[in-house]
């Protein structure tokens, strides 16, 4: 381990015609960590990944990955990184084993070493039983695991995962999270782009929120949640309860504007954190004889952070810059 970050980007700019995909983007990821990059479609996530993996050249700015410049040392860098794109880029008419052996040979491994590495990766990704089947018979989750395995043929110190769990069911997503966590535990640095905010919350030590080609917020998940505010009280008044009475009972605890949903008899109250707060609120509601269906103290989620920072939910966006480069060529890796 060195003191230099595994990934460093400063002032990256990229324009497609009249569309500015990146407008001075800065990123940093330390060795052996996961950097989560969040943003809506068109925010610049895929463009950033393509620049950092030498597939695109920036119009301005600089970037270093694994201590190498992504432009002037691109050839050397490609042997030290792996990339798994949004869509699995494996040959569906070959078996899983044949795919991995082929990628090993493309990396100039000897036949024996390519076969050995293919078997190791099939075992690591729980694909041994499926290794002899053609990939067209694989489920979506199995294809994604095979695609990730192919990115690890040469055990790269830095791995780029561009929305790796897109299209997976919850079970497949959890399995992929386990694989990523194991890689980081073994020392791999991962840059993960995702629109699944719980994914970043689960995996990333640092998170960068990108919108309109810039990083608009960064920090740990807890630090970003703190930017939105403290805890919030959420309560739903029973059908026989008095919403106005509930509102008056909790008003003194509020530290901001109370959101009132009369149709669903629901209140959201920003409150200060306190050990006995919920007990006190329950006592006051009981004294006011307010019937409650649901009552809870909740912290802000990354969804709240995203909505506050960008003005829209994570899955929204108009797919500008990323769409321009999304499907022109299959994304395998920068090799």
């Amino acid at each position: 381990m060195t003191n230099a970050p595994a990934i460093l980007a400063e002032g990256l700019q990229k324009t497609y015609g009249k569309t500015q995909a990146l407008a001075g983007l800065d990123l940093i990821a330390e060795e052996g960590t996961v950097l989560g990059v969040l943003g809506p479609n068109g925010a610049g996530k895929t463009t950033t990944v393509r620049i950092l993996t030498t597939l695109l050249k920036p119009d301005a700015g600089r970037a270093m990955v694994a201590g190498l410049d992504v432009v002037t040392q691109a050839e050397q860098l490609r042997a030290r990184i792996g990339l798994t794109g949004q869509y699995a880029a494996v040959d569906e008419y070959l078996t899983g084993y044949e795919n991995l052996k082929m990628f090993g040979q493309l990396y100039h491994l000897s036949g024996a070493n390519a076969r050995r590495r293919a078997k190791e990766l099939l075992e690591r990704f729980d694909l041994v039983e499926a290794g002899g089947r053609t990939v067209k018979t694989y489920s979506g989750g199995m294809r994604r695991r095979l695609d990730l395995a192919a990115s690890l043929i040469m055990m790269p110190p830095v791995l780029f995962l561009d929305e790796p769990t897109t299209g997976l069911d919850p079970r497949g997503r959890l399995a992929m999270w386990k694989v990523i966590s194991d890689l980081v535990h073994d020392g791999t640095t991962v840059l993960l782009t995702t629109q699944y905010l719980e994914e970043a919350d689960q995996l990333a030590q640092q998170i960068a929120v990108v919108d309109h080609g810039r990083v608009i917020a960064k920090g740990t998940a807890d630090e970003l949640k703190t930017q939105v505010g403290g805890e919030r009280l959420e309560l739903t008044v029973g059908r026989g309860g008095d919403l106005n009475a509930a509102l008056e009972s909790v008003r003194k605890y509020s530290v901001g504007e109370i959101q009132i949903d009369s149709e669903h008899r629901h209140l959201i109250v920003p409150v200060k954190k306190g050990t006995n707060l919920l007990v006190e609120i329950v006592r006051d509601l009981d004294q006011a004889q307010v019937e409650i269906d649901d009552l809870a103290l909740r912290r802000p989620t990354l969804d709240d952070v995203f909505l506050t920072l960008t003005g829209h939910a994570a899955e929204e966006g108009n797919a500008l810059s990323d769409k321009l480069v999304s499907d022109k060529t299959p994304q395998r890796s920068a090799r």
Side-chain angles (χ1 to χ4, degrees), residues 172-184 202-203:
R173 189 170 300 139
L174 288 172
M176 186 64 76
W177 289 0
K178 175 65 165 58
V179 169
I180 295 170
S181 295
D182 289 345
L183 289 172
V184 175
Q202 175 76 20
L203 296 173

Side-chain angles (χ1 to χ4, degrees), residues 19-32:
T19 301
Q20 189 170 30
L22 299 181
L25 181 137
D26 301 316
L27 286 177
I28 187 168
E30 301 298 336
E31 290 186 11

Side-chain angles (χ1 to χ4, degrees), residues 22-330:
L22 299 181
L25 181 137
D26 301 316
L27 286 177
I28 187 168
E30 301 298 336
E31 290 186 11
T33 66
V34 177
L35 171 63
V37 179
L38 306 182
N41 291 331
K45 303 188 304 298
T46 295
T47 298
T48 300
V49 169
R50 287 181 170 240
I51 288 174
L52 294 175
T53 55
T54 77
L55 298 177
L56 284 176
K57 291 184 178 180
D59 297 332
R62 75 181 189 103
M64 304 285 291
V65 176
L68 299 171
D69 188 281
V70 301
V71 176
T72 63
Q73 297 173 294
E75 191 67 30
Q76 303 98 297
L77 177 58
R78 288 172 188 146
R80 296 180 58 78
I81 58 177
L83 166 63
T84 295
Q86 296 178 20
Y87 306 98
V90 289
D91 191 324
E92 64 178 14
Y93 292 101
L94 296 178
T95 67
Y97 171 77
E98 289 169 341
N99 266 281
L100 294 178
K101 185 178 71 171
M102 176 186 68
F103 283 120
Q105 291 173 328
L106 289 174
Y107 264 125
H108 306 295
L109 293 180
S110 67
N113 284 336
R115 292 190 293 272
R116 176 184 55 79
R117 188 68 180 135
K119 291 177 181 177
E120 289 174 353
L121 289 168
L122 288 174
E123 184 174 353
R124 179 168 191 175
F125 286 84
D126 195 23
L127 291 170
V128 173
E129 292 185 4
R133 289 165 35 198
T134 56
V135 172
K136 64 182 179 181
T137 67
Y138 283 20
S139 67
M142 293 167 67
R143 289 184 185 219
R144 297 301 287 165
R145 297 206 307 275
L146 182 65
D147 194 50
L148 182 54
S151 296
L152 298 172
I153 288 287
M154 297 301 290
M155 296 181 286
V158 182
L159 181 63
F160 294 86
L161 303 179
D162 191 12
E163 301 189 17
T165 61
T166 296
L168 296 186
D169 59 25
R171 182 178 179 181
R173 189 170 300 139
L174 288 172
M176 186 64 76
W177 289 0
K178 175 65 165 58
V179 169
I180 295 170
S181 295
D182 289 345
L183 289 172
V184 175
H185 182 267
D186 291 341
T188 303
T189 302
V190 175
L191 186 147
L192 168 75
T193 75
T194 181
Q195 291 184 4
Y196 298 114
L197 300 185
E198 76 276 12
E199 188 162 272
D201 208 350
Q202 175 76 20
L203 296 173
Q205 284 78 43
Q206 289 287 318
I207 296 172
V209 181
V210 178
D211 202 20
H212 300 296
R214 290 188 176 91
V215 174
I216 59 174
K218 59 185 177 180
T220 65
D222 285 342
E223 288 169 347
L224 291 175
K225 292 172 186 177
T226 300
Q227 291 185 30
V228 175
E231 294 184 330
R232 63 191 185 190
L233 172 75
E234 296 188 19
L235 66 89
T236 302
V237 176
R239 291 191 177 278
D242 187 335
L243 182 63
N244 289 328
L247 178 61
E248 291 306 314
S249 295
V250 300
R251 191 183 298 278
K252 65 181 180 180
Y253 299 103
S254 175
V255 294
E257 182 179 356
I258 299 176
Q259 299 178 44
I260 305 171
D261 183 348
S262 299
E263 180 181 357
H264 298 96
R265 308 176 311 283
H266 191 68
L267 300 177
I268 300 178
V269 187
V271 296
K272 289 184 178 180
K273 187 175 182 179
T275 55
N276 296 319
L277 181 62
L278 197 57
V279 173
E280 295 172 5
I281 291 172
V282 169
R283 183 182 61 239
D284 288 351
L285 290 169
D286 186 56
Q287 289 179 351
Q289 297 183 337
V290 177
E291 182 181 343
I292 299 297
D293 280 350
D294 185 62
L295 177 68
L297 277 175
R298 294 190 174 94
R299 294 194 63 205
T301 65
L302 281 181
D303 295 85
D304 299 320
V305 172
F306 205 96
L307 183 61
T308 299
L309 292 173
T310 68
H312 48 71
E315 67 272 11
E316 296 175 352
N318 52 13
L320 290 177
S321 61
D322 289 355
K323 195 62 179 175
L324 287 170
V325 296
S326 61
D327 294 320
K328 291 182 180 178
T329 58

